[in-house]
Amino acid sequence: MPGGEVSEVSESELSTVERAHTHYRIPIEFSVPSPDKHPFVMWLWGLLKLDFTGIAFGALFFCWSLTPSLLPRDWLFQGLIGGINAAVGYGFGVMVGWAARRWLLAGRSWWPLPRKVELWIKFSLTPIAIFAALYMLYLSAGWQRELAALMDAEGTTTTGYFRTGALSIVVGALFISGMRVLRDLVRFLARQINKIVKMPREVANVIGVVLVVVLVVALVQGVLLRAVSDVTNSAFSLQNNETREGAVQPTRSERSGSPESLAPWDSLGFEGRNFVSSGLTGEEISAGLGRPAPEPIRAYAGLETADTQDERLDIVVRELERTGAFQRQALVVVPTTGTGWVNPTAIEAEELMFGGDVATVAAQYSYLPSWISFLAERDKAAAAGKALIDKVRERWLQEPEATRPRLYVYGESLGTQAGEGAFDGLAEIRGSVDGVLWVGPPNANRLWSQFVTRRDPGSPEVRPVYADGLVVRFADNSSDIPPDGEPWLSPRILYIQHASDPVVWWSPDLLFQRPNWLSEPPGPDRLPDMRWFPFVTFWQVAADLTNAAGVPDGHGHNYGTLVLDGWVAVAAPDGWTDADTEKVRAVMDEYAGRDGPEK
């Protein structure tokens, strides 16, 4: 077409060209901008054009994402998850379409399809996808209400839930555009490589992909993660210096942070100050139980208590010596979550059970909250838990065996991972402590995974039985903890885990593999309608993690006073009865939500 002239093309020739274009090109566009547009405008349009095979799979993945998960989700969370899954489905559909055109359909006598058939398929697919999505949104709203009722939570409305669709479109479009930016970067690098060294286009593309992956990984690990770590550490270190409203410095010598303490109040951190300033006094325990009770001991060291971990643990041990902890009936070691948080309900339960004659010790190892520590500091958590337990046990062994307190380990959430880090296996636990209570263990826990994987044949993953329950047991509620009449050797190890707790059941394996717990009959607070879908279920349960503790007691990652039943099963004093348990529960209910007076 010299001189800028445009040659005429017949309608039949145009149809042939278009069909050939469809045969070799992946994208099938809704429309094409005028070629006189600026190249940058054309590139931006390329980020938005859609492939119809991708639309089909994107709609399928979106509909899958609307099926129920472990916890109720509002429209906002569902919109985010729906958009992510739709984008994943779209990308998968594009690859399927490309592979089909390249290997399955090439050379077929009936391919490419006639233009009219192709257009009919295109413009039928979109309304079908929209109708399927709307219908699934309607069903999903009902599932969410059913799941909320199962957990005594407030459900959503159908009309409100339809906002999910609009949000998912936005989220999916952003993800797809982002992936296309990376695709174009690969193509750009491939072209530059070909200018320098002549090679087949496929080889240049592979090299481009490798370079982009290396660049992204280096950017994420070397820059973004470091920047995020620095920012989050800075932000949470500032919070660490704050003090919760109502938390005041203890005046009783049995508490770290008191005037007599070797661990100054200002050094304990936000969670440490909460821990030592809350809980019931000896007088309140005595009044609640109707018998004399000593002041319970709470020892703690924050990150700012000393410069190194060894120095902090030395101070913790000296705190136990100063307060007379090694002369108490029981000593409880609590490896914490990231920020140093200790579940106040669990500590109150064991202090009431032992009538105040107990010492509890914990130490902070990070500024980061549990969910960030779980992703970035799991090894650090395990090392910190091992150091704390080993240090306390080393000093505990110096006491006469006949008079030293019973030694227990407690952990919740990431604290269970920190606690497991102290032991190589079951034999070491049994030879080291007098009992273990672990609540809401993450699925990645090493020992938990071993016990569940090696569970007795026929026992479900959600309620596993390990070695006939002689030492290690699992419970979802108090009725799962059998009475003392059944054989349970000491020291006892008990895991408490809800069937609806995403912390327990989330795993990267959900991406490609259906877990046993979704193939078995559901637990007491999971809908039987929940199904496993590749990619989709992974993101559903990942979203549940963000709201794991935002449900009523007895569901999700919120264990309430079930920890009392766990303590009674593992460490009840001699002569303990069900009436004693209910008396303690009544005292806990009476003081529930109270910060407590100055101590």
Side-chain angles (χ1 to χ4, degrees), residues 475-482 562 565 585:
D476 180 84
N477 52 56
S478 58
S479 63
D480 288 340
I481 305 174
L562 181 59
D565 300 283
R585 201 186 311 277

Side-chain angles (χ1 to χ4, degrees), residues 366-405:
S366 174
Y367 292 123
L368 301 179
S370 184
W371 65 275
I372 299 180
S373 293
F374 173 74
L375 295 174
E377 296 185 333
R378 280 186 282 182
D379 291 340
K380 183 178 180 180
K386 177 175 175 58
L388 174 63
I389 294 172
D390 287 351
K391 192 73 173 183
V392 172
R393 185 173 181 275
E394 180 183 359
R395 174 59 183 84
W396 172 78
L397 286 171
Q398 296 175 16
E399 296 293 319
E401 184 175 357
T403 59
R404 65 191 179 203

Side-chain angles (χ1 to χ4, degrees), residues 259-316:
E260 296 90 346
S261 174
L262 302 171
W265 166 256
D266 292 338
S267 74
L268 299 182
F270 182 84
E271 296 296 351
R273 287 187 285 273
N274 286 348
F275 172 65
V276 300
S277 65
S278 62
L280 304 182
T281 65
E283 292 84 356
E284 290 167 336
I285 295 174
S286 178
L289 300 180
R291 53 186 171 86
E295 184 71 21
I297 294 170
R298 294 192 178 191
Y300 195 94
L303 279 176
E304 298 176 10
T305 300
D307 293 333
T308 67
Q309 177 175 267
D310 288 341
E311 291 173 338
R312 290 191 291 271
L313 296 183
D314 284 338
I315 290 176
V316 160

Side-chain angles (χ1 to χ4, degrees), residues 373-374 378-379 381-382 413-422 442 444-446:
S373 293
F374 173 74
R378 280 186 282 182
D379 291 340
S413 193
L414 188 62
T416 68
Q417 198 166 76
E420 283 191 1
N445 277 21
R446 176 177 52 87

Side-chain angles (χ1 to χ4, degrees), residues 516-536:
N516 290 330
W517 57 269
L518 272 177
S519 305
E520 301 163 347
D525 56 353
R526 178 173 70 82
L527 286 182
D529 298 293
M530 184 177 179
R531 297 289 187 271
W532 176 81
F533 302 102
F535 295 103
V536 173

Side-chain angles (χ1 to χ4, degrees), residues 21-50:
H21 173 80
T22 301
H23 178 72
Y24 290 105
R25 294 289 300 276
I26 297 175
I28 302 174
E29 304 172 12
F30 282 113
S31 60
V32 179
S34 173
D36 60 354
K37 293 286 184 68
H38 191 278
F40 181 71
V41 176
M42 297 290 289
W43 178 74
L44 289 178
W45 172 253
L47 298 181
L48 300 176
K49 61 186 179 183
L50 295 176

Side-chain angles (χ1 to χ4, degrees), residues 114 142 166 195 199 207 237 303 334 394 402 418 453 505 535 585:
K195 290 180 181 179
M199 61 179 66
I207 295 175
S237 65
L303 279 176
V334 184
E394 180 183 359
T453 301
W505 307 115
F535 295 103
R585 201 186 311 277

